[in-house]
Amino acid sequence: EIEDVRVLVYGAGVIGSVYAAYLHHGGHDVTVLARGRRLADIRDRGILVEPLQSAERIEAKLPTTDRLASDAAYELVLVAMQKGHLEAVLPILATHRGSPSVAFLGNNAAGPGRLVEALGADRVLMGFPDFGGTFEGSCVHFATDRRDARRVGMTLGEVSGITTPRLRNLVRALSASRIDVAVEPRIDAWLKGHAALVVPILFALDRHDLDNRALARDRAGLRLMVAAIRESLFALRDLGYPLTPLKLWSIAWMPPFASTAIFARILESEFARLAFAGHAANAAGEFELLYRELRELIEPSGRRTPALDELCGAGRLRSR
């Protein structure tokens, strides 16, 4: 059973910084791999994160590195990087055999193929954080929809869909650091469904210069966004993918006017400002890539997607 875990957090953006801080305060041996100004900032000030729901600022002074040493060994590598950067990272991780568990935490509509090809199915886990945020100075301000502001979450699963002893041990270790893990046996379908949800949201936000409250007040824009989400979800269903988690079923099957009202309320919130708009401001390239992956994924369904086509256009975001 894994208790104190030696962890490498590969990437020190919002997601990597939050998990590194929580794991450090949970007593684990955490090293952060970063580069450039972010590396210098962490070495100078440490990592600072602050959840929206709490005035508690979490500070962590922890070891850093700018490369994955060939002789290093970690029980867990958390890869928290934008999708477009993974191709450069995979060859490094592939030749590094000292770490048996590598969890890729981020958007992925293309599936686990490239990850498994590079590392092997026995090393790969896939997942996603339950929060989003942005940098304000050197501090990460982030938001989650959890009631307990002292904890954050993560969805995580094995490529095989099996809840292995390795995964159970990691869940226990992460939980001790106030990171609640939802084990998802259909993690590939979960990530595809998430892409179908967030791509229309981010492109709709882009039309409003990333002003979440302006989008919340634009009922025509919200109706177009909801229609694009529904088209994408029904295309996934037609291709045989289960709609998971349950909220995707709700969006797919509830009357569109009800979904529009729900999204209007969500988008008025500070949660949306940090988790949606804040992230989008720094990840235009990632969402353009994710849109291309989503289009390629749903094309074989043969389903018409006029709302998605109108909303996303040529797949280029204006707010780059």
Side-chain angles (χ1 to χ4, degrees), residues 166-180:
R166 179 258 299 268
L167 181 54
R168 284 194 291 268
N169 288 340
L170 290 176
V171 168
R172 283 193 287 268
L174 292 168
S175 179
S177 295
R178 297 191 292 170
I179 301 171
D180 296 326

Side-chain angles (χ1 to χ4, degrees), residues 84-106:
H85 299 160
L86 287 185
E87 280 301 320
V89 171
L90 286 178
I92 299 170
L93 290 168
T95 57
H96 175 74
R97 303 302 300 180
S99 301
S101 301
V102 183
F104 294 88
L105 305 177

Side-chain angles (χ1 to χ4, degrees), residues 231-251:
E231 289 171 356
S232 302
L233 292 177
F234 283 129
L236 290 178
R237 181 206 60 179
D238 292 349
L239 291 167
Y241 292 105
L243 297 185
T244 179
L246 185 61
K247 66 182 178 183
L248 296 185
W249 274 107
S250 302
I251 295 168

Side-chain angles (χ1 to χ4, degrees), residues 290-307:
L290 193 63
Y291 169 68
R292 293 195 296 272
E293 289 184 351
L294 179 63
R295 280 252 56 115
E296 185 175 336
L297 172 64
I298 65 177
E299 197 71 33
S301 74
R303 177 175 287 271
R304 293 181 63 251
T305 56

Side-chain angles (χ1 to χ4, degrees), residues 53-65:
Q53 299 92 331
S54 170
E56 176 190 23
R57 175 175 285 196
I58 301 171
E59 302 183 16
K61 292 287 283 186
L62 36 72
T64 58
T65 184

Side-chain angles (χ1 to χ4, degrees), residues 11-307:
V14 169
I15 304 307
S17 296
V18 170
Y19 283 135
Y22 275 70
L23 286 163
H24 173 76
H25 279 271
H28 299 297
D29 180 359
V30 183
T31 299
V32 175
L33 193 153
R35 295 191 176 93
R37 285 184 296 176
R38 183 60 180 145
L39 176 61
D41 193 41
I42 295 172
R43 286 176 172 172
D44 182 40
R45 307 183 189 196
I47 286 179
L48 306 174
V49 303
E50 187 173 309
L52 171 67
Q53 299 92 331
S54 170
E56 176 190 23
R57 175 175 285 196
I58 301 171
E59 302 183 16
K61 292 287 283 186
L62 36 72
T64 58
T65 184
D66 62 354
R67 64 186 180 90
L68 183 54
S70 59
D71 59 347
Y74 302 95
E75 288 154 303
L76 175 64
V77 177
L78 292 180
V79 182
M81 307 183 72
Q82 291 185 21
K83 181 71 185 294
H85 299 160
L86 287 185
E87 280 301 320
V89 171
L90 286 178
I92 299 170
L93 290 168
T95 57
H96 175 74
R97 303 302 300 180
S99 301
S101 301
V102 183
F104 294 88
L105 305 177
N107 288 302
N108 186 345
R114 281 289 296 122
L115 310 179
V116 170
E117 178 186 343
L119 275 68
D122 60 322
R123 296 180 65 203
V124 173
L125 298 106
M126 299 171 70
F128 204 84
D130 81 337
F131 57 87
T134 189
F135 281 91
E136 297 181 11
S138 61
C139 182
V140 173
H141 288 253
F142 70 98
T144 175
D145 57 3
R146 290 183 164 267
R147 293 181 179 178
D148 186 349
R150 299 169 303 170
R151 305 185 72 85
V152 294
M154 177 192 300
T155 299
L156 192 64
E158 297 270 9
V159 173
S160 66
I162 299 170
T163 303
T164 60
R166 179 258 299 268
L167 181 54
R168 284 194 291 268
N169 288 340
L170 290 176
V171 168
R172 283 193 287 268
L174 292 168
S175 179
S177 295
R178 297 191 292 170
I179 301 171
D180 296 326
V181 180
V183 174
E184 176 52 69
R186 301 168 297 180
I187 190 62
D188 180 40
W190 191 102
L191 289 166
K192 286 175 165 58
H194 185 264
L197 174 67
V198 299
V199 164
I201 293 173
L202 270 298
F203 274 80
L205 277 168
D206 181 67
R207 288 186 165 205
H208 294 79
D209 298 320
L210 304 184
D211 184 338
N212 53 291
R213 291 187 173 89
L215 174 58
R217 294 189 291 269
D218 178 6
R219 289 305 169 122
L222 285 174
R223 287 194 292 271
L224 179 65
M225 183 189 82
V226 167
I229 293 171
R230 286 164 56 88
E231 289 171 356
S232 302
L233 292 177
F234 283 129
L236 290 178
R237 181 206 60 179
D238 292 349
L239 291 167
Y241 292 105
L243 297 185
T244 179
L246 185 61
K247 66 182 178 183
L248 296 185
W249 274 107
S250 302
I251 295 168
W253 293 108
M254 75 170 55
F257 74 86
S259 296
T260 299
I262 291 171
F263 276 114
R265 187 166 64 250
I266 293 171
L267 286 163
E268 281 283 1
S269 66
E270 275 293 288
F271 169 80
R273 182 183 71 82
L274 286 174
F276 296 160
H279 179 45
N282 301 302
E286 177 178 40
F287 287 105
E288 290 169 359
L289 173 59
L290 193 63
Y291 169 68
R292 293 195 296 272
E293 289 184 351
L294 179 63
R295 280 252 56 115
E296 185 175 336
L297 172 64
I298 65 177
E299 197 71 33
S301 74
R303 177 175 287 271
R304 293 181 63 251
T305 56

